[in-house]
Amino acid sequence: VAEWRILPLRRATLWVPQWLAKKPVFNSPLEAAMAFPHLQQPSFLLASLKADSINKPFAQQCQDLVKVIEDFPAKELHTIFPWLVESIFGSLDGVLIGWNLRCLQGRVNPVEYGIVMEFLDPGGPMMKLVYKLQAEDYKFDFPVSYLPGPVKASIQECILPDSPLYHNKVQFTPTGGLGLNLALNPFEYYIFFFALSLITQKPLPVSLHVRTSDCAYFILVDRYLSWFLPTEGSVPPPLSSSPGGTSPSPPPRTPAMPFASYGLHHTTNAFCGFVEMWLHHYSLEMYQKMQSPHAKLEVLHYRLSVSSALYSPAQPSLQALHAYQESFTPTEEHVLVVRLLLKHLHAFANSLKPEQASPSAHSHATSPLEEFKRAAVPRFVQQKLYLFLQHCFGHWPLDASFRAVLEMWLSYLQPWRYAPDKQAPGSDSQPRCVSEKWAPFVQENLLMYTKLFVGFLNRALRTDLVSPKHALMVFRVAKVFAQPNLAEMIQKGEQLFLEPELVISHRQHRLFTAPTFTGSFLSPWPPAVTDASFKVKNHVYSLEGQDCKYTPMFGPEARTLVLRLAQLITQAKHTAKSISDQCAESPAGHSFLSWLGFSSMDTNGSYPANDLDEMGQDSVRKTDEYLEKALEYLRQIFRLSEAQLRQFTLALGTTQDENGKKQLPDCIVGEDGLILTPLGRYQIINGLRRFEIEYQGDPELQPIRSYEIASLVRTLFRLSSAINRRFAGQMAALCSRDDFLGSFCRYHLTEPGLASRHLLSPVVRRQVAGYTRGPRLSLRFLGSYRTLVSLLLAFLVASLFCVGPLPCTLLLTLGYVLYASAMTLLTERGKLHQP
C-alpha cells in the first residue's frame, strides 16, 4: 500500500491519499501490520509472525512480539495466542520442542537465556498478553486427550474430577467419550501448556548433561511459584497492559467455583494447574484400587462436602479401566520440579500468622487467601502426592537416581524447614527438636511418614549399601526421622489411629472435611483428643480405603525390617573396611605391574565392582561414616539395644572359615547344583560373600587378557594349532614313554588334570567327566607383555656385558632346559609320594 499511488481495480481507479502514499516501504509484512493494526485481518498477523519465526533471528522475533503485544488489540491477539504458546512450550504430542526451555542455560547461551527469561517473566510481555486476553473473556479449546491419565479417564466416563480447575469447563455429550475439549481462559491455557511441557516433551538424551536447576524451565517455575504463592503480603494483581492504565479485572466466576476475588483467581488456577499436571498420575493398578466401592464412596462424600457443583452419580464402569492407558514413568527432572513446588507450598502455607493458623481463627471471618493457605495441602496436594510417591517407591530403578525421589519425600515431611520462624542450626551438630505445634501435620499425614518409610526399608534391603551413594540415602532418611520428638509424634499418630472405634462412635454421621473456601467449616471444632483421632482415621481411610491393612511403623513387622537393615549396614561396613585394607596393601605401581603381568593374574577380583573401585579411599571413608551414623540414628528411632547391634558385629566372624577365606554365599543343593537362598542373594549384592569363579574351559580359548597382545595371541594360536595337528602322533608317543624324556615331554605338552579343578556345578562336571585332552604345544605365553619385556630386559643386560643376541639366546635356552629338567624331576618325585 505504501508503494502504490494509484491502485487499479478492474475498470475503476482507486486513489490513495497523499499522506498514505508518502509512507516508506516496509521491510516485512509484519512491519506493515504493526503500522496499521486496525486495518489488518487476524490471519494476516498470524501468517506474518509464522514467516518471521523462520526468517528472523530469535532476538528480533522477541522484539517484534513485544511490539505486537503492546500495539495490537485483544481481538487480533487472541488468534495468535494458541500458536504463540505452542511455539514457546512445544506441541502437546512432543513433536515440536518450541524454545526448548529444559535445555536453555544461562552459562551456555547467555543472550538467548536473558531474552527468554525477560519475555516469560511473571511481569513480562507474555503475561501481559495473557491478562490482556483475560480481560475480554476469551476461551481456548484444550484437548482432554492430553490431560493426565486419571483425569482423562474420569472425564471420558462423564465423572467430573474433584479439582475446581475443571468446573464448568467440560460439556459432556450424551455418548461421552473421545474428542472432548476443555474451554479454558487464557491464563489456564498458558499454565496447562507450561506445566505439561515438562511431561509431554521427550526425555533429554543421556549424552546431554544438563543441570536441571540451571535450566530456564526450572528457574521460571521458581519465579512463577514465588509470584503466585507469596509468603508476604497479598497476591499481586494482574499487570497493566498499557503504560497509562490497568487492564480490567477478569470477569467473576460462578458461585460454584471458589475464590472469585481479583488476584487470588490466578493463584488458585496456577497452583491447581501445576498440581494436576505434575502430580495427578499413578499406575493402572493404583487406578483400579481407586475404583473400589469404598474408595469411590469416600471420594463421593468428599466432593459433596466441598462444593455444591453437580457431580454425576454414575459409578465407574469397566470402560474406565480400558480408557486408562497412561504408562506413567516420571523422570528425575520431573521429580526435581515437584520438589520445588512442595518447598514453595510449605513456605506459602506456613506464612499464616499464629493467630490465623489457630483453630479458633476458623470461627471468624478470614480472607480467601488465608483459607487457601490452610487448605492447599490437604485439599489439593496430599492424596495426589501420596499416590505419586507410592508409584515412585514401587517402580523406580534400584540405583542412585532414587535420591531425587527421596529428597522430594523428605522435603514434604519437614514443613518446619520452610517456616518463617525456623530456628537456625546451632554451633553443635545436634539437630533441633521438632516443635509440638507440628504434631497435627504429622498426624494428618501419617501414611506419608509410616507406610513410605516401610517402603524405603524394603528398597534399602535390596541395594548395595557398600556404595557411598546408597549409603548416603540410608543416612539421609535415618537422620530426618531421628530428629528429636519426631518419632514420638509419629508413634502418637499411630496410637490415635489404632484407638477403638468406640471413641468416635457418637460422631460417625459427621464427616470431617476440608474447608469449602467460604470462610467457614461445615461443623465446629470438636474436643481436641477425639478430633485428632478422627483426623488420623479420616486421613488413612481416605487414602487407603476402609479395608486397608495398616502396618505400624513401630510394630513388630517394621521392627524386623529395621533389624535386617541394621545387620546389612554392619556387614556393609565390614565389607568397605576390607576393600579399604586391600587397597592400602596394594603397592603404588600395582596397576602398571599388572599391565605387564608381573602381579597376580587373578581376574576374578576379591569383591564385586561398585562405586568404591572408582572413587578411592575417600569414598570408603564416607561410606563408613554414613553407615555408622545411620546405624546410630536407627538405634535412637527404634530404641535398639547395644546388645542387638553387638550381635551383628560378632556374627561377622562366622563369615570366615579356619583359613581366613570367605565362605560361599548361603545356598542349598538342588538337582543341578547350588541354589541361592534370599540370604545368599543379600550377601552377594552387598559384597559380603562370593563364589570362587574359575575358568573351566580350554585355556587356549579363554578371552584375551589386558596384559596380552591380541594380534600376537591369535597368530601364535594358529601356529600352535598347525603344529599340534601335524605332529599329534609323535607328541603322543613321546609322552607315553616311561623314561626321563617322556617325563620331560609330559611336563611341557600336557596340562594339569581337570579333576584337580574346583568344578562347582554338577552339570559341568558331567560334561567334562569323560573328556581327556591329548598332548599339545602352547605358545600363548609368548604373546604376553611380561614375556616380551622379560626377554627384552635379558638382551639389554647381556649387551652391557658385551654378549651378542645369538650367544644370549643360547644361554637363555640352556638356562631354561636346566630349569625344566629340575622341575620335571620334582614333579615326578611328587607323583611317587601321592597315595
Side-chain angles (χ1 to χ4, degrees):
V1 175
E3 294 183 89
W4 300 340
R5 295 176 183 272
I6 300 178
L7 299 178
L9 182 62
R10 293 187 179 181
R11 295 186 179 181
T13 301
L14 177 64
W15 290 90
V16 179
Q18 289 294 325
W19 65 270
L20 183 58
K22 294 179 182 179
K23 289 291 181 181
V25 179
F26 297 108
N27 296 324
S28 68
L30 181 59
E31 293 185 10
M34 293 172 60
F36 308 101
H38 57 285
L39 298 178
Q40 306 302 325
Q41 297 295 326
S43 59
F44 178 76
L45 177 61
L46 179 60
S48 301
L49 290 174
K50 287 183 177 180
D52 288 347
S53 67
I54 300 175
N55 301 322
K56 286 188 176 182
F58 179 75
Q60 185 63 40
Q61 294 177 39
C62 292
Q63 292 179 6
D64 292 344
L65 287 173
V66 173
K67 295 179 181 178
V68 168
I69 294 171
E70 291 289 344
D71 297 341
F72 278 76
K75 182 179 179 181
E76 282 76 22
L77 292 176
H78 90 277
T79 59
I80 71 168
F81 184 68
W83 167 83
L84 180 58
V85 171
E86 186 178 84
S87 66
I88 293 174
F89 302 123
S91 57
L92 294 174
D93 56 9
V95 175
L96 303 177
I97 63 173
W99 289 1
N100 202 12
L101 302 178
R102 296 162 59 214
C103 295
L104 184 60
Q105 300 182 83
R107 58 183 178 85
V108 179
N109 299 305
V111 177
E112 292 186 3
Y113 176 85
I115 294 173
V116 168
M117 298 304 294
E118 183 179 355
F119 187 80
L120 299 179
D121 189 79
M126 191 63 193
M127 292 306 298
K128 290 183 179 179
L129 171 61
V130 170
Y131 293 133
K132 199 171 186 179
L133 297 175
Q134 187 92 349
E136 301 294 335
D137 198 21
Y138 284 107
K139 300 294 182 182
F140 300 92
D141 289 339
F142 188 93
V144 171
S145 58
Y146 290 110
L147 293 174
V151 179
K152 177 175 62 177
S154 179
I155 292 178
Q156 289 175 351
E157 284 295 307
C158 298
I159 301 173
L160 195 63
D162 62 333
S163 174
L165 197 63
Y166 304 105
H167 292 191
N168 302 333
K169 300 291 194 307
V170 184
Q171 297 295 329
F172 292 114
T173 60
T175 58
L178 305 176
L180 297 175
N181 290 322
L182 296 179
L184 303 179
N185 63 43
F187 186 83
E188 294 165 343
Y189 189 83
Y190 178 83
I191 291 297
F192 271 44
F193 260 87
F194 175 74
L196 277 177
S197 64
L198 176 67
I199 301 171
T200 57
Q201 297 297 315
K202 297 178 180 178
L204 300 177
V206 180
S207 58
L208 185 61
H209 301 286
V210 178
R211 186 187 175 105
T212 302
S213 59
D214 293 338
C215 68
Y217 185 87
F218 188 88
I219 297 176
L220 279 173
V221 171
D222 186 51
R223 292 187 182 182
Y224 286 160
L225 292 174
S226 299
W227 182 271
F228 294 112
L229 299 178
T231 57
E232 297 180 0
S234 59
V235 179
L239 304 171
S240 171
S241 60
S242 60
T246 59
S247 299
S249 61
R253 302 168 69 106
T254 62
M257 300 184 67
F259 302 118
S261 59
Y262 184 68
L264 197 58
H265 164 79
H266 298 97
T267 288
T268 56
N269 282 356
F271 175 72
C272 292
F274 291 148
V275 171
E276 286 294 307
M277 300 306 114
W278 293 339
L279 289 179
H280 206 157
H281 302 264
Y282 35 80
S283 60
L284 178 58
E285 58 267 24
M286 186 60 66
Y287 180 77
Q288 292 172 340
K289 178 182 178 181
M290 295 296 292
Q291 306 309 310
S292 66
H294 289 296
K296 290 309 300 178
L297 184 60
E298 293 289 338
V299 173
L300 182 61
H301 285 175
Y302 184 68
R303 291 175 178 175
L304 291 176
S305 64
V306 170
S307 176
S308 60
L310 295 178
Y311 291 91
S312 172
Q315 292 295 324
S317 63
L318 292 177
Q319 296 177 0
L321 298 181
H322 297 295
Y324 186 81
Q325 299 293 334
E326 182 183 44
S327 177
F328 174 48
T329 307
T331 61
E332 188 173 350
E333 180 187 15
H334 182 179
V335 171
L336 292 174
V337 172
V338 171
R339 185 191 180 203
L340 181 63
L341 171 65
L342 297 179
K343 288 182 177 181
H344 279 276
L345 174 62
H346 277 321
F348 175 70
N350 293 336
S351 61
L352 274 174
K353 297 179 181 179
E355 61 272 13
Q356 297 171 341
S358 62
S360 60
H362 293 276
S363 59
H364 304 287
T366 55
S367 68
L369 179 61
E370 295 168 0
E371 291 284 3
F372 182 56
K373 288 182 178 181
R374 286 194 196 93
V377 173
R379 171 70 176 85
F380 297 106
V381 175
Q382 188 187 74
Q383 183 190 48
K384 295 180 178 66
L385 179 63
Y386 176 69
L387 297 176
F388 183 87
L389 285 169
Q390 263 200 319
H391 179 86
C392 292
F393 273 61
H395 295 79
W396 201 277
L398 290 171
D399 57 20
S401 64
F402 186 72
R403 174 79 186 279
V405 178
L406 191 78
E407 295 298 338
M408 174 184 64
W409 173 47
L410 297 180
S411 294
Y412 181 79
L413 298 185
Q414 303 176 85
W416 46 86
R417 291 184 56 191
Y418 312 100
D421 58 344
K422 65 178 181 180
Q423 294 178 319
S427 57
D428 55 353
S429 59
Q430 296 297 326
R432 295 289 184 179
C433 179
V434 180
S435 173
E436 195 64 31
K437 75 175 185 178
W438 297 107
F441 179 88
V442 174
Q443 295 166 6
E444 294 168 23
N445 291 271
L446 184 64
L447 290 177
M448 293 284 193
Y449 290 90
T450 59
K451 185 168 183 178
L452 293 182
F453 181 83
V454 175
F456 174 77
L457 289 179
N458 287 317
R459 284 186 62 94
L461 290 173
R462 293 179 290 159
T463 56
D464 178 13
L465 297 184
V466 182
S467 166
K469 296 178 181 178
H470 292 155
L472 175 60
M473 287 191 281
V474 175
F475 162 73
R476 287 283 298 124
V477 173
K479 181 180 179 181
V480 168
F481 278 83
Q483 295 178 83
N485 200 35
L486 179 58
E488 289 76 8
M489 289 182 183
I490 298 174
Q491 200 164 10
K492 176 62 176 177
E494 290 191 326
Q495 292 172 358
L496 291 172
F497 174 72
L498 297 175
E499 277 185 4
E501 295 292 338
L502 296 176
V503 177
I504 57 173
S505 58
H506 65 284
R507 298 192 302 122
Q508 285 292 336
H509 66 281
R510 186 176 74 85
L511 188 69
F512 179 83
T513 60
T516 58
F517 311 112
T518 58
S520 63
F521 283 75
L522 293 180
S523 57
W525 285 73
V529 177
T530 306
D531 191 65
S533 176
F534 187 82
K535 287 181 183 180
V536 177
K537 294 177 184 291
N538 181 74
H539 156 70
V540 174
Y541 292 146
S542 63
L543 295 184
E544 291 290 334
Q546 294 283 349
D547 55 348
C548 71
K549 181 183 177 182
Y550 181 74
T551 302
M553 175 177 165
F554 292 93
E557 296 181 22
R559 188 176 182 86
T560 301
L561 294 177
V562 171
L563 291 176
R564 286 174 57 189
L565 179 61
Q567 182 179 10
L568 287 180
I569 289 175
T570 306
Q571 294 173 341
K573 287 179 56 183
H574 179 77
T575 303
K577 184 178 183 303
S578 300
I579 295 176
S580 176
D581 294 342
Q582 186 183 41
C583 295
E585 293 173 359
S586 301
H590 177 75
S591 300
F592 178 72
L593 294 177
S594 298
W595 179 75
L596 294 179
F598 286 105
S599 63
S600 173
M601 295 185 185
D602 180 17
T603 59
N604 299 320
S606 299
Y607 295 94
N610 51 49
D611 296 342
L612 298 178
D613 300 332
E614 300 177 358
M615 303 180 67
Q617 290 289 325
D618 188 55
S619 269
V620 177
R621 181 185 57 80
K622 287 183 178 180
T623 299
D624 186 73
E625 180 181 349
Y626 292 148
L627 296 178
E628 180 68 29
K629 291 183 177 179
L631 196 60
E632 174 60 25
Y633 288 140
L634 290 176
R635 187 189 65 80
Q636 296 175 12
I637 298 169
F638 295 94
R639 300 178 178 88
L640 302 178
S641 64
E642 294 289 348
Q644 289 175 311
L645 299 181
R646 277 198 301 269
Q647 287 178 358
F648 299 146
T649 305
L650 295 176
L652 290 176
T654 63
T655 62
Q656 296 192 4
D657 58 13
E658 297 177 355
N659 298 324
K661 296 181 180 179
K662 287 187 175 293
Q663 295 179 341
L664 296 178
D666 190 71
C667 51
I668 58 177
V669 180
E671 295 181 358
D672 295 330
L674 302 178
I675 301 176
L676 280 174
T677 63
L679 175 60
R681 283 192 289 271
Y682 285 128
Q683 291 170 339
I684 291 179
I685 289 175
N686 289 277
L688 305 174
R689 297 185 185 180
R690 65 183 178 90
F691 287 104
E692 295 293 337
I693 301 175
E694 297 180 0
Y695 182 77
Q696 301 290 336
D698 188 349
E700 292 294 300
L701 300 178
Q702 62 182 312
I704 297 175
R705 308 303 175 86
S706 60
Y707 54 81
E708 293 178 321
I709 304 174
S711 58
L712 184 56
V713 168
R714 295 188 181 98
T715 302
L716 292 172
F717 175 74
R718 287 192 290 267
L719 176 60
S720 59
S721 298
I723 295 175
N724 291 331
R725 287 193 300 269
R726 176 68 179 82
F727 301 101
Q730 291 87 333
M731 288 189 293
L734 287 173
C735 290
S736 62
R737 296 177 57 161
D738 296 331
D739 53 7
F740 177 79
L741 181 59
S743 300
F744 189 84
C745 292
R746 285 192 296 273
Y747 177 78
H748 289 88
L749 301 179
T750 60
E751 55 183 310
L754 293 176
S756 61
R757 299 188 181 182
H758 303 284
L759 299 178
L760 302 180
S761 173
V763 177
V764 179
R765 186 180 294 114
R766 289 195 296 266
Q767 291 175 351
V768 301
Y771 178 73
T772 56
R773 187 177 293 121
R776 60 177 181 172
L777 177 65
S778 176
L779 301 176
R780 181 164 178 166
F781 72 97
L782 294 174
S784 69
Y785 290 104
R786 175 177 59 180
T787 303
L788 297 178
V789 171
S790 299
L791 292 175
L792 179 60
L793 290 176
F795 282 110
L796 288 176
V797 172
S799 65
L800 295 177
F801 294 95
C802 300
V803 179
L806 183 59
C808 181
T809 302
L810 294 176
L811 289 175
L812 290 175
T813 304
L814 179 60
Y816 178 77
V817 169
L818 295 175
Y819 168 79
S821 300
M823 292 301 298
T824 300
L825 294 175
L826 293 175
T827 302
E828 291 297 322
R829 181 175 298 179
K831 289 181 180 180
L832 293 176
H833 291 284
Q834 289 181 355

